[in-house]
Amino acid sequence: MSLPFTVRRARTSDVPAIKTLIAPLAQERILIAKETVAYYEALPEFRVAEDADGALLGCGALHIMWEDLAEVRTLATSPPARGTGVGHALVEELLAGARDVGVSRVFCLTFEVDFFRRHGFSVMEDQSVVDPVIYSELLRSHDEGVAEFLDLARVKPNTLGNTRMIRRL
């Protein structure tokens, strides 16, 4: 089944719908719930998919972590949009955005391993993908996504057994 939809930059008016989209996934402990202010602060990172009537079908964010490294975050689709290409279109848009800003590696933390494999991601086995000097710089970040990428013990209660994956662009 295919739905007609478009992918675009998120707007401030999308934040309530993004929160609504993410809420059941956070309740299922698939995604981590965030405060409303965090969505507004991260708004430039978000892309959304909407149907012809303007209803939000999905969202995703690209968070830049370092010169050559970014993370796909908060990727979600509404239940009726699952399996219709919305998630695929969002990931492709985020990867295109990564290329546009010069990022050569994109990371994700996911339960949807097969989905991300179909998009060229592979499971990260160790931290050898990060130079030790850059690793020490990344340790200074207060961002939980960076801590997840570095596989730091302090985020283990929040990551719920997700798989760390990476793709080279």
Side-chain angles (χ1 to χ4, degrees):
M1 178 178 124
S2 173
L3 293 173
F5 64 89
T6 57
V7 175
R8 62 168 173 77
R9 286 183 161 278
R11 301 179 189 122
T12 57
S13 59
D14 295 320
V15 169
I18 290 170
K19 281 193 64 157
T20 299
L21 197 64
I22 292 166
L25 297 169
Q27 195 166 10
E28 293 176 46
R29 299 177 57 104
I30 294 169
L31 293 176
I32 296 173
K34 298 176 184 167
E35 297 297 329
T36 303
V37 68
Y39 292 111
Y40 284 110
E41 289 172 344
L43 197 66
E45 300 177 353
F46 272 88
R47 300 296 177 267
V48 296
E50 68 179 358
D51 68 14
D53 296 324
L56 214 64
L57 300 173
C59 66
L62 181 74
H63 180 74
I64 306 301
M65 298 170 84
W66 197 254
E67 176 183 6
D68 65 339
L69 183 66
E71 178 187 8
V72 169
R73 293 185 169 179
T74 322
L75 184 67
T77 57
S78 66
R82 292 189 186 131
T84 65
V86 169
H88 168 77
L90 285 164
V91 168
E92 290 304 312
E93 181 74 15
L94 296 172
L95 293 175
R99 286 183 198 95
D100 285 349
V101 297
V103 168
S104 60
R105 297 177 300 165
V106 179
F107 153 78
C108 70
L109 188 71
T110 186
F111 287 110
E112 301 296 334
V113 174
D114 291 338
F115 173 83
F116 279 97
R117 272 200 178 112
R118 288 193 302 272
H119 291 89
F121 286 76
S122 58
V123 174
M124 286 177 56
E125 301 298 334
D126 59 34
Q127 291 308 320
S128 63
V129 297
V130 179
D131 176 275
V133 173
I134 295 171
Y135 184 92
S136 67
E137 288 287 333
L138 288 172
L139 280 175
R140 297 177 184 163
S141 174
H142 297 290
D143 184 89
E144 291 299 304
V146 173
E148 290 164 350
F149 174 74
L150 297 176
D151 201 26
L152 301 181
R154 72 178 168 87
V155 294
K156 290 303 175 201
N158 296 328
T159 59
L160 315 170
N162 296 359
T163 300
R164 293 176 318 129
M165 300 183 79
I166 196 161
R167 175 177 169 176
R168 294 193 182 279
L169 301 177

